[in-house]
Amino acid sequence: MHGFRRRLFGTGRRRAFTLVLSLAAFYLGGALAHGYIDDRCASPGLSFVLVFLWVAGGALLGLVTLIALGDRVMGPGFVDDFLADEMEALDARLSGEELPEEEDEFDAEAVLRRSGGGTRFGVYFILFFLGHIYLGNQLSSEFLQRYTHPGVALIHLRSDDSELRRRGLDMMTERLDFTLTPQVEKIILQALDDPEEGVVARAAHVAAVVDAQVAVSKLVNLIDQRPALSFALLIALGQLDGPESRAASKALLSSKEANKEPVALAYYLGLLRIPAVEDLRRIYTAAKDEEKARVAAVWSLGQLRDGRLLEFMVAALSDPSLTVRCAAVEALELMVVTDSAPALMTAFEAEKDPHLYCPEVNLPVQEGGPIVQIVRYRKIMFSLVRAMATTDHPKLIHWLVEHQEDTDDYRTRVLMEKLWKSLKAKDARGDLNGIRRRLQQRAAEKGTPTPAAAKEGSQ
């Protein structure tokens, strides 16, 4: 061992040669290892071993650097101390040989070097080690950050094992603090061509989560090519909010396979706010026995916030399904149409069970996807009053007082009181006069006695 140290560090020239060779091996080897891991490695275990060896190489290079620069960093005589053969003196004593007499001259520098050498050696070693790792990482465009995510996920996706490929896609949704690079887009497109349906479905979900617009055309084509996955593909397309996904609506609405999934098709249209009114009406009408499709159609039409859909939403308030009725109420809240107030008041009065809660419905996305509420979990009476609050209908001033005892729910009563006070204040300022005149004019056009309407509205 002593001879090996002397061969590497015995002279200044040898120390310089060893340092240069070590630097070249570490940085060139690291670049090759990083490139292989980034582009071709398909084994998570092998990638971990290569990263470990690279870090270990950084530690070894830190040690070589410290020894080669020892006399400058640690002080004169450090290299001699390092190269000294402690076993030679011990062997001489054991063999009985006479040793040269030690000089009595006091060497202050040697004492100081030895007394604090261990601590200083450790500090400088760590500094050199971390410095080489940092520099190697920077020269590889922050390899460690890239390897942590999404690098490990991409390595899983290159595997021949479908389970590992699915795991790699899952890993891509666990952290979103990375930039969507061409390499990531390429991996997603490759995963969409995977023979395993589970991998393709998960890849479509990942494309939506990371907003990989490059995958839109592939997803559209896959709906006809792999109809078993059309539901997941349509939901993913709906989440890819962009011109290409919107432009695909014509092809999808005429697609036989897409129409076999009316729920997903309706959500796709609603997520992108595509005004396919007649198609959504058709989905609602055709789904007499399918509550989920009716909910999706009502929600999607509500996302358009179009007052011309008032008649449809009023009809949906009489749907036999509580969930559909709740979706219609929330749609009317979004539409902000004064003329919706009478229908909402009628629905409030007709509700037989004031304690009914609207069941919570969320967009059916895969695990790890964003939560998009379709129907909120709250009492239907409360939801109806919230929708009324957007109408500013003058008739509500009298109606709210008349029906305050129709519910014993505290939140609903508080909301009714707040709405009443707000309408009274608006009426006092004259803000409701324009609405009142418009309602009277419309009533007159329909032949309704205007004086009675005017009197009722002014109360």
Side-chain angles (χ1 to χ4, degrees):
M1 186 65 182
H2 175 259
F4 179 72
R5 282 185 291 175
R6 283 197 171 278
R7 281 193 294 272
L8 291 177
F9 306 104
T11 65
R13 187 171 293 180
R14 288 182 181 181
R15 289 194 290 275
F17 177 78
T18 301
L19 178 58
V20 170
L21 186 63
S22 300
L23 288 168
F26 175 75
Y27 287 104
L28 291 177
L32 292 173
H34 297 167
Y36 173 75
I37 292 171
D38 281 338
D39 301 328
R40 298 187 300 279
C41 184
S43 169
L46 176 60
S47 71
F48 177 79
V49 170
L50 290 175
V51 172
F52 174 79
L53 291 175
W54 176 68
V55 174
L60 182 60
L61 179 58
L63 179 62
V64 171
T65 305
L66 178 55
I67 296 171
L69 303 177
D71 285 347
R72 295 178 179 273
V73 175
M74 298 292 293
F78 169 80
V79 175
D80 292 336
D81 289 344
F82 173 75
L83 296 175
D85 188 358
E86 296 85 357
M87 297 303 296
E88 182 180 359
L90 180 59
D91 291 340
R93 286 193 178 92
L94 293 175
S95 62
E97 296 180 7
E98 293 185 3
L99 297 174
E101 294 183 1
E102 296 183 358
E103 297 182 1
D104 294 333
E105 183 178 353
F106 178 72
D107 190 346
E109 289 186 1
V111 172
L112 290 174
R113 187 171 65 247
R114 292 188 178 96
S115 62
T119 303
R120 291 176 62 199
F121 183 91
V123 170
Y124 281 117
F125 167 72
I126 292 173
L127 288 176
F128 283 126
F129 163 52
L130 295 179
H132 287 304
I133 292 295
Y134 174 79
L135 183 57
N137 188 54
Q138 293 301 112
L139 291 174
S140 295
S141 302
E142 297 185 332
F143 164 77
L144 286 176
Q145 292 89 324
R146 190 169 63 253
Y147 174 74
T148 304
H149 195 76
V152 177
L154 298 182
I155 292 168
H156 280 72
L157 286 168
R158 298 189 194 109
S159 173
D160 293 332
D161 186 342
S162 61
E163 188 62 35
L164 280 178
R165 296 198 299 274
R166 281 196 295 270
R167 174 58 186 152
L169 289 165
D170 289 340
M171 293 169 69
M172 292 185 69
T173 63
E174 291 172 358
R175 285 177 51 192
L176 304 180
D177 54 341
F178 70 95
T179 303
L180 182 63
T181 63
Q183 184 186 28
V184 175
E185 293 178 338
K186 181 181 178 182
I187 290 294
I188 291 174
L189 291 176
Q190 289 176 351
L192 289 173
D193 286 328
D194 198 280
E196 290 287 333
E197 290 186 349
V199 176
V200 177
R202 199 60 180 163
H205 170 69
V206 171
V209 171
V210 302
D211 195 29
Q213 294 291 329
V214 69
V216 170
S217 59
K218 171 74 75 174
L219 292 171
V220 174
N221 293 332
L222 282 173
I223 289 174
D224 289 324
Q225 296 170 6
R226 307 185 77 165
L229 301 173
S230 55
F231 189 99
L233 298 173
L234 283 166
I235 296 297
L237 280 168
Q239 294 174 281
L240 284 166
D241 191 355
E244 288 188 15
S245 189
R246 288 190 179 88
S249 61
K250 277 189 177 181
L252 293 174
L253 287 169
S254 60
S255 167
K256 181 180 178 181
E257 300 300 335
N259 280 277
K260 287 181 180 179
E261 295 290 353
V263 176
L265 182 59
Y267 281 135
Y268 158 76
L269 297 170
L271 285 166
L272 297 177
R273 293 183 172 86
I274 296 173
V277 176
E278 293 307 316
D279 295 282
L280 288 167
R281 285 176 179 268
R282 172 180 54 79
I283 290 174
Y284 178 86
T285 304
K288 293 181 180 179
D289 300 321
E290 192 175 351
E291 177 188 89
K292 291 181 179 180
R294 300 202 305 278
V295 170
V298 170
W299 176 82
S300 298
L301 286 169
Q303 297 307 299
L304 299 177
R305 295 166 169 79
D306 190 341
R308 291 172 294 181
L309 296 171
L310 176 61
E311 184 179 346
F312 173 86
M313 291 302 172
V314 169
L317 288 176
S318 302
D319 194 280
S321 165
L322 170 65
T323 310
V324 175
R325 297 200 301 272
C326 291
V329 172
E330 293 196 26
L332 288 169
E333 181 182 342
L334 293 175
M335 288 166 58
V336 192
V337 179
T338 300
D339 291 338
S340 66
L344 291 167
M345 290 185 280
T346 301
F348 189 97
E349 296 168 13
E351 196 59 60
K352 297 178 181 179
D353 186 355
H355 302 291
L356 275 179
Y357 274 86
C358 292
E360 181 178 348
V361 179
N362 295 321
L363 184 72
V365 296
Q366 297 181 46
E367 183 181 356
I371 296 176
V372 179
Q373 287 190 318
I374 305 302
V375 178
R376 291 169 176 79
Y377 178 74
R378 58 192 180 198
K379 284 194 173 181
I380 188 168
M381 308 291 267
F382 180 80
S383 189
L384 285 162
V385 176
R386 278 180 57 94
M388 293 178 204
T390 67
T391 67
D392 280 349
H393 199 294
K395 188 177 179 180
L396 283 170
I397 297 175
H398 173 72
W399 185 90
L400 287 166
V401 175
E402 188 178 50
H403 292 277
Q404 62 179 328
E405 299 298 330
D406 287 2
T407 177
D408 57 0
D409 180 59
Y410 175 75
R411 290 183 67 210
T412 305
R413 284 190 169 186
V414 169
L415 182 59
M416 293 174 75
E417 182 181 357
K418 287 183 178 180
L419 176 56
W420 180 80
K421 289 180 179 179
S422 173
L423 288 170
K424 288 288 287 183
K426 289 180 180 180
D427 197 27
R429 295 193 303 267
D431 295 346
L432 302 185
N433 291 340
I435 297 175
R436 189 176 282 113
R437 283 194 296 271
R438 188 171 70 250
L439 292 173
Q440 291 175 0
Q441 181 180 0
R442 192 173 300 164
E445 292 172 354
K446 292 181 179 180
T448 306
T450 55
K455 181 179 178 181
E456 185 179 35
S458 63
Q459 291 179 349

